[in-house]
Amino acid sequence: MQFIYQIIELTNPQLNILQKLAKDKQVENKKYFDKLKKKTPKNLDYIMQDLHDAEFKKTDCLSCANCCKTTGPLFTSADIERISKHLRQKPQQFIDQYLRIDEDNDYVLQKLPCTFLDTDNACFIYDVRPKACREFPHTDRKKFQQITNITLKNIPVCPAVYNIVEEMKRKLPL
Ligand code: SF4
Ligand code: SF4
């Protein structure tokens, strides 16, 4: 497969065109991930960890927060327990005030951008934030080949994921 690689800078004008860039690459990325699932390199976990670390060394999430503004996490029972305790609320109060149940029966935010996002893009509840926020964007997840559908969904949201996938195709041609 022939690819044209394009790494983007994490600036607002570039964030604005992320959705278009992601759309342009959608078919190419899907084909690449289909091949990855059939021909998974033995050392993929190490490759992904390196790609993830290299991208996040130069990524300043505080100048982006696009994930917090546009998607938001799901909240597990443990998340609800921990965060409501931190806010000195009963879990049910926290649920009633901030959460709703989505079509997959998961607790998600009632509103976006996330209620806990400050104007400087910091998270009010950073130390107790949901597991999904801590792990986002999952590009250092073991057995990455099993979560390529999630990655495809995250490419238009997260410029770091976009770049990691571009770099992945360059370093790991299939
Ligand atoms: S994880 Fe991605 S979308 Fe979220 S703030 Fe960092 S670069 Fe932006
Ligand atoms: S809880 Fe914090 S990290 Fe998670 S989406 Fe909200 S502001 Fe972002």
Side-chain angles (χ1 to χ4, degrees), residues 49-61 160 164:
Q49 190 68 58
D50 284 350
L51 290 171
H52 176 94
D53 291 346
E55 179 62 30
F56 276 94
K57 223 176 249 177
K58 60 187 171 72
T59 297
D60 175 18
C61 285
I164 288 167

Side-chain angles (χ1 to χ4, degrees), residues 27-132:
V27 174
E28 174 182 300
N29 289 340
K30 169 99 176 55
K31 277 190 195 156
Y32 180 81
F33 285 151
D34 285 346
K35 281 195 174 181
L36 185 76
K37 279 186 253 182
K38 286 188 196 134
K39 268 175 58 177
T40 308
K42 282 206 169 60
N43 57 346
L44 185 64
D45 286 354
Y46 294 101
I47 295 170
M48 291 316 298
Q49 190 68 58
D50 284 350
L51 290 171
H52 176 94
D53 291 346
E55 179 62 30
F56 276 94
K57 223 176 249 177
K58 60 187 171 72
T59 297
D60 175 18
C61 285
L62 286 175
S63 63
C64 173
N66 207 34
C67 46
C68 311
K69 288 174 188 164
T70 62
T71 51
L74 62 82
F75 290 71
T76 65
S77 316
D79 292 331
I80 294 169
E81 284 285 332
R82 187 177 63 254
I83 300 166
S84 61
K85 192 171 170 201
H86 175 80
L87 298 175
R88 295 167 201 268
Q89 285 185 316
K90 295 254 183 270
Q92 192 57 49
Q93 269 179 302
F94 176 79
I95 290 168
D96 293 343
Q97 191 168 348
Y98 300 112
L99 305 184
R100 67 176 175 88
I101 292 178
D102 74 0
E103 52 290 352
D104 299 322
N105 232 10
D106 290 317
Y107 279 117
V108 294
L109 290 162
Q110 284 174 16
K111 284 191 282 184
L112 284 169
C114 177
T115 318
F116 305 110
L117 185 67
D118 207 346
T119 45
D120 62 357
N121 285 344
C123 172
F124 281 125
I125 55 165
Y126 189 78
D127 290 341
V128 291
R129 68 198 185 285
K131 183 170 178 276

